[in-house]
Amino acid sequence: MQIQRFSVANYTIVAPPNFSSSPHISTAIPHNPSILALNRTCNAGFCNSLRRVTKLQTSSRRYGSLIMASSGEVKDDRFYMRRCVELARKAVGYTSPNPMVGCVIVKDGKIVGEGFHPKAGQPHAEVFALRDAGSLAEGATAYVSLEPCNHFGRTPPCTEALIKTKVKKVVAGMVDPNPIVASKGVNRLRDAGIEVIVSVEEELCKRLNEAYIHQILTGKPFVTLRYSLSVNGCFLDQLGEGVSESGGYYSKLLQENDAIIISGSLKDNLSMFTSQELGANQPMKILVARNPEWSGIQIPDLTKEMASKVVLFTNKGTTLGKEMAQKEIEKVVSDQITLSAILESVRNRGLRSVLLDLRGSFSNLQELLREGIEQNLLQKIVVEVLPWWGGDYDGNLQMTLKELRKRLKLKNLQSKISHQSVVIEGYVQ
């Protein structure tokens, strides 16, 4: 299907794939039959075009997910690369161990094709975008958030697809650090006479796949530490209201991570660690239990598929209750439970990202936290600040942090609001 763009007066209107699903569009933008917008819907990495009527009020504004740009705005390489990243994020939680990738095909200043990699084993972003563009891909520029692959894996090389469709130019957000790719895709395209530009919005593209990049470069999973604080700086054994619901930061955090480490002494049901995002791929639950006698977290009857995503790490001195012992979940018994051992187990399962969630009895996690800080095993920290005064967390956490010989320094601090909580994110230097 040919992709169209509609110019109206002094405006060009471009709508991302989820425009039609926005619950706020009808009230934010009153109806006006004289103005047209493009609505793109995406399905399994492939995008189709439809027409929709809306009203445009001012230039260069964003209503929900609808992007409006004045015709005087220069849509440069960075503009299209940001769109690639936006498309790629539609597959959050589904592509691991592959990276998330988005692709946009542009011809004569207009987007004629879009696509993203929806899941490991399925075609890559470039293939979906080229299918979307059809014959319009010839002579066009392909924007892709990560260097196109040049090897046969579960799918054919994307470089050959780009060459076969005779694109004129390729703009890549970053070079793929994976040794089997690293610049080989760029070189293959250039050898075929295609102009190639790299490192456009590179930091944005790197952050999109921070876990993938970290694992490729270090051989270790990307570890995020999460905990809650009151406004007066006390630790809390609680999440804020609404943050675990769909759209809340905690629900999204679960969707983004391949695994989560949980204190086995939590009294919550295991379902409390389930992302509520629509169709989310759920993280593996890693329970840590050190108590001599452990009844543990409430584990409901699990299907075989669900049970395969629950692992219990416990020491030899721990006695499991009869009900827990009969659960068909994997149990790892060791003389000493270490964060390094857990991360090695995660890596061996082909997982790239882990969330260490400080909730429940801290005695099960304090040694993991100490090890993570002293041995530089943490990459990112997420802190939820709840609108409360006071604290109710195990005092051992404060003591452990005071005893640490090493202090963490963070960079790239950012904050956002999630319901009534303030969420702060930073990266360990």
Side-chain angles (χ1 to χ4, degrees), residues 79-141:
F79 176 91
Y80 295 115
M81 192 58 64
R82 290 193 294 270
R83 177 59 181 156
C84 289
V85 172
E86 185 178 15
L87 287 167
R89 287 196 61 81
K90 292 180 177 294
V92 168
Y94 281 98
T95 63
S96 184
N98 290 359
M100 291 178 284
V101 184
C103 181
V104 173
I105 310 297
V106 178
K107 189 170 187 179
D108 299 329
K110 301 176 181 179
I111 295 178
V112 296
E114 293 184 334
F116 61 94
H117 178 46
K119 188 177 182 179
Q122 293 192 16
H124 292 180
E126 297 92 325
V127 173
F128 282 113
L130 291 171
R131 289 178 185 174
D132 193 21
S135 61
L136 293 177
E138 183 175 350
T141 297

Side-chain angles (χ1 to χ4, degrees), residues 225-226 236-238 250 254 259-273 284-291 293-299 310-314 318 324 337 339 342 354-369 393-394 396-397:
L225 171 67
R226 193 220 70 87
L236 296 173
D237 183 17
Q238 193 160 350
Y250 189 74
L254 291 176
I260 177 173
I261 300 174
I262 310 165
S263 172
S265 62
L266 269 169
K267 300 305 180 183
D268 289 334
N269 191 294
L270 200 61
S271 62
M272 297 299 293
F273 302 94
M284 172 175 285
K285 281 76 171 175
I286 299 174
L287 310 180
V288 177
R290 299 175 185 272
N291 298 329
E293 187 172 339
W294 186 77
S295 57
I297 197 170
Q298 299 178 40
I299 300 179
V310 180
V311 180
L312 171 64
F313 276 80
T314 185
T318 300
M324 181 60 210
I337 304 172
L339 182 57
I342 294 175
V354 181
L355 175 64
L356 175 56
D357 195 356
L358 293 188
R359 293 171 61 192
S361 174
F362 182 63
S363 60
N364 280 316
L365 300 178
Q366 65 182 34
E367 291 306 318
L368 300 187
L369 177 61
Y393 210 112
D394 190 336
N396 289 331
L397 177 55

Side-chain angles (χ1 to χ4, degrees), residues 231-264:
V231 291
N232 59 321
C234 295
F235 289 95
L236 296 173
D237 183 17
Q238 193 160 350
L239 295 172
E241 182 179 352
V243 300
S244 59
E245 299 172 0
S246 179
Y249 93 92
Y250 189 74
S251 176
K252 291 181 177 180
L253 198 58
L254 291 176
Q255 181 185 29
E256 293 168 0
N257 281 274
D258 295 335
I260 177 173
I261 300 174
I262 310 165
S263 172

Side-chain angles (χ1 to χ4, degrees), residues 174 177 205-207 209-218 352:
M174 60 175 287
C205 294
K206 285 182 176 179
R207 184 163 184 179
N209 287 304
E210 58 191 13
Y212 168 80
I213 295 170
H214 176 79
Q215 203 278 335
I216 288 292
L217 296 179
T218 69
R352 298 194 185 275

